[in-house]
Amino acid sequence: MKIKTITCHDVYNHGASLQAFALQHYLQSIGHDVEIIHYKPPYLSGHYDLWKVSNSRYDKPIIRLLYLMVKLPGRLKSLKRKRAFDAFTSQFLRLTRRYDTIEALRNDPPHADVYIAGSDQIWNTTFRNGLDPAFYLDFGPDATRRISYAASFATNSLTDGSESFVNSKLANFDSISVRESSALDLLNQLGYTGVQVVDPVFLLSPSQWDDVASINNNDKDYILVYDFMRDSDIRAVALRLAKHYSCKVISISPLNLDYAHKNYWDKSPIMFVSLIKNARCVISNSFHGTAFSMIYNRDFFVVNRKDGLNTRMKDLLSRYKIAERQISSDVVDDVLFSHINYNKANQIIEQDIQSSILWLKQNLVS
């Protein structure tokens, strides 16, 4: 069967790259011909653009030139991260030709027996992709089967004014699955039904991820930090743990953290998986940082995000009876220095994996 998936696969984010690979790889492993639709509209392109003026205040004659000259050294350095991700994409993701607009997709859609939307935050209406018809499979022949797999709204509610758009576009789907229980509530409010399934990264076993993340990072006894925002609460938690265990802090964040012993900001998703696998404890505000910690049964903590995007992690941890791992910086020592008993969590995860696989297989052919 020919399957085409669509997701935010090429945005220089570890989790986005890995979930795209995981769904593709799992579907290939059960015998399907799979490609990821290489959809790159302008708002998902231009990463690491050397000549971009991010603030309109500086987009003026002479000022623009001075702005770019100041930014250029840092931007040239950042290309190392871009090259690492591009190498991962080239090696692990099987892509269609590039599409830059929804019109291009509609005018010449990739042939498939089934289109799959997902996973990750493709329906997050606080982002532009959540309001893009492409991520609701609004292209291609009517006869082509359309399903979503582990799509995420990421929040408890849609942005004001987006309800009508989302409602109309969900009508494209033959079957809907979502990643969070909160998404089921949103679907019900819109008049749709769906099922909850696991994120694609859980569809691959630890040994399968070991095959991908075969790199040896050579680091021993460390607290791993994955932080997008230089969050002061993450810093406080990481340093408390490092002091307690007399170990170092390593970061796989996209930004250099001044308190980290090493910063792997320029490494690919392969190193991301390897570092989580071997960490003493993982501190993050990331869904996939949490997910891979669970896959490898690592101790971890999720520090609440100040931008409010905590629903995904809250749903995940509540589902697996480890809600106490979502914390703030004033967490008490008894919790911070405790360890996760994965016996119960692993049982529930395995049940969810099997039910997700069953749903996926059934809905590819229904």
Side-chain angles (χ1 to χ4, degrees):
M1 181 179 291
K2 289 186 179 296
I3 298 173
K4 299 293 190 292
T5 69
I6 189 167
T7 186
C8 299
H9 65 284
D10 191 25
V11 292
Y12 301 94
N13 173 281
H14 294 297
S17 296
L18 291 165
Q19 61 83 24
F21 163 76
L23 183 57
Q24 170 198 280
H25 186 75
Y26 173 74
L27 291 169
Q28 288 173 328
S29 75
I30 58 174
H32 298 294
D33 180 1
V34 187
E35 288 183 314
I36 299 167
I37 297 172
H38 193 28
Y39 181 58
K40 292 280 288 182
Y43 69 87
L44 290 178
S45 304
H47 296 87
Y48 303 100
D49 183 349
L50 296 179
W51 311 113
K52 181 178 180 180
V53 178
S54 304
N55 191 323
S56 59
R57 291 191 309 166
Y58 302 112
D59 196 9
K60 300 172 183 177
I62 301 178
I63 295 176
R64 174 186 175 87
L65 179 60
L66 292 173
Y67 173 90
L68 291 173
M69 292 301 292
V70 169
K71 292 287 186 180
L72 188 58
R75 289 181 174 183
L76 288 171
K77 182 180 178 182
S78 73
L79 291 179
K80 290 181 64 179
R81 178 178 170 87
K82 181 181 187 300
R83 286 192 290 269
F85 273 82
D86 288 347
F88 177 89
T89 297
S90 177
Q91 181 177 356
F92 290 103
L93 302 187
R94 185 167 179 246
L95 306 178
T96 67
R97 75 169 183 85
R98 178 167 173 155
Y99 295 88
D100 293 321
T101 64
I102 180 61
E103 289 76 22
L105 267 175
R106 288 169 174 165
N107 291 336
D108 185 21
H111 171 71
D113 301 303
V114 180
Y115 292 137
I116 301 179
S119 174
D120 219 8
Q121 301 180 59
I122 55 168
W123 295 344
N124 183 347
T125 55
T126 68
F127 298 159
R128 291 182 65 178
N129 50 265
L131 298 171
D132 188 332
F135 292 104
Y136 297 86
L137 303 179
D138 195 6
F139 57 85
D142 291 343
T144 302
R145 183 165 179 79
R146 291 163 167 81
I147 67 173
S148 68
Y149 183 80
S152 175
F153 293 105
T155 58
N156 287 317
S157 61
L158 303 178
T159 56
D160 290 343
S162 67
E163 295 88 348
S164 178
F165 169 85
V166 174
N167 194 317
S168 66
K169 296 307 177 186
L170 289 175
N172 293 325
F173 290 87
D174 296 290
S175 295
I176 298 173
S177 70
V178 291
R179 197 173 65 183
E180 287 90 33
S181 59
S182 56
L184 295 176
D185 296 335
L186 280 175
L187 288 176
N188 289 335
Q189 292 170 26
L190 294 168
Y192 292 92
T193 58
V195 301
Q196 185 178 2
V197 294
V198 298
D199 187 273
V201 299
F202 288 105
L203 298 178
L204 306 187
S205 67
S207 62
Q208 287 174 301
W209 282 116
D210 287 347
D211 291 340
V212 174
S214 56
I215 188 170
N216 185 352
N217 62 58
N218 295 317
D219 290 295
K220 308 294 182 186
D221 199 21
Y222 56 90
I223 305 297
L224 181 66
V225 170
Y226 184 38
D227 175 15
F228 304 96
M229 308 169 184
R230 292 196 178 100
D231 187 281
S232 58
D233 289 345
I234 288 183
R235 175 189 179 116
V237 169
L239 291 177
R240 283 174 65 189
L241 282 166
K243 181 178 179 180
H244 178 77
Y245 291 117
S246 298
C247 64
K248 58 192 175 185
V249 175
I250 288 178
S251 170
I252 188 64
S253 310
L255 304 167
N256 270 327
L257 303 180
D258 59 11
Y259 61 91
H261 178 77
K262 285 185 181 179
N263 282 280
Y264 287 110
W265 61 269
D266 59 345
K267 301 302 181 184
S268 81
I270 295 173
M271 181 64 87
F272 175 84
V273 177
S274 179
L275 285 168
I276 290 178
K277 173 186 175 181
N278 295 294
R280 176 188 282 267
C281 186
V282 179
I283 316 299
S284 78
N285 47 23
S286 150
F287 180 93
H288 286 104
T290 305
F292 276 97
S293 299
M294 295 172 68
I295 288 169
Y296 281 113
N297 282 195
R298 297 291 87 194
D299 280 333
F300 68 87
F301 289 101
V302 177
V303 179
N304 286 317
R305 291 174 60 142
K306 294 180 175 62
D307 62 5
L309 289 180
N310 296 305
T311 298
R312 300 168 300 146
M313 280 74 85
K314 181 179 179 181
D315 279 6
L316 182 70
L317 301 185
S318 296
R319 175 83 177 170
Y320 299 118
K321 315 301 182 187
I322 46 178
E324 73 280 359
R325 308 309 282 194
Q326 189 163 6
I327 62 170
S328 56
S329 60
D330 59 356
V331 59
V332 298
D333 287 355
D334 285 350
V335 173
L336 188 62
F337 305 138
S338 65
H339 302 288
I340 300 174
N341 183 339
Y342 272 101
N343 291 336
K344 182 62 175 177
N346 284 341
Q347 291 177 19
I348 305 172
I349 292 170
E350 184 57 32
Q351 291 169 2
D352 284 352
I353 291 171
Q354 294 308 315
S355 64
S356 299
I357 287 172
L358 179 62
W359 183 91
L360 185 55
K361 288 180 176 179
Q362 289 175 338
N363 282 277
L364 288 174
V365 297
S366 295

